[in-house]
Structures are given as C-alpha cells and as structure tokens.
Amino acid sequence: MSDKYLLKLYVTGATDRSQRAISNLIQLCELHLRNRHEIVIIDVLEQPQIAEAEKILVTPTLIKEFPLPKVRIIGDLSDTKTVLLGLNIP
C-alpha cells in the first residue's frame, strides 16, 4: 500500500450527519484520490471497542492512517478545501 491512503471514518449509526460524512468522503476520494485509497467505515454503536481504542469522542471523525503523519478531521467533511488541506492532498 505504498502510495495508497488509508482513511477510517467513525460514525454513529445511520444519522443524517453520518450519511453526509460518508457521501462527502466517497466523493472527495473519487475526485482527488482515484484508485489510491481505501475507506474503512466504523460505526461506533456496532464496534465501541474500536472507537474506545482510538479515543473517538466525537463523530463523525476521519482518521488518515496512511500515509503518515496520522491526521484526524472532525465533522461531516463538507468543507472540501479544509479536508484536502488537512489530509495533505494536492
């Protein structure tokens, strides 16, 4: 996975905010990371132990696991410019 982005999105159930974050992330990846990404969606209601291990306090939270450095972005990811800047995606 040398140049692939590993993105983990933590959400709480099927709320509007969770669905918006998922949709925004998928759209962002399709436009800016064509075939260079893997998205993992974790519902903290279904997998609370994973959320606890990652110290997720607020959802939605996006964590860029790879490439390093590890970055967290909180919110529904609707501000594309800020998300791209935070993830260091040109």
Side-chain angles (χ1 to χ4, degrees):
M1 181 163 26
S2 58
D3 65 341
K4 254 189 170 176
Y5 281 72
L6 175 56
L7 304 169
K8 293 184 178 179
L9 180 62
Y10 293 82
V11 297
T12 305
T15 64
D16 287 344
R17 189 168 165 90
S18 294
Q19 294 304 315
R20 204 166 34 250
I22 293 167
S23 176
N24 288 337
L25 180 59
I26 290 169
Q27 183 178 10
L28 181 140
C29 288
E30 287 175 354
L31 290 173
H32 299 280
L33 294 175
R34 295 182 193 119
N35 300 319
R36 295 185 305 129
H37 67 281
E38 178 182 347
I39 297 172
V40 178
I41 298 172
I42 298 132
D43 186 335
V44 301
L45 297 176
E46 294 176 5
Q47 298 179 300
Q49 69 285 1
I50 295 174
E52 186 176 331
E54 280 292 340
K55 299 186 180 358
I56 301 298
L57 302 176
V58 177
T59 62
T61 295
L62 175 65
I63 298 180
K64 178 186 75 158
E65 294 280 338
F66 194 84
L68 295 174
K70 199 170 183 178
V71 175
R72 289 176 181 242
I73 299 174
I74 297 171
D76 68 4
L77 311 175
S78 58
D79 185 348
T80 305
K81 281 186 178 181
T82 301
V83 175
L84 290 172
L85 185 63
L87 296 176
N88 197 25
I89 298 172

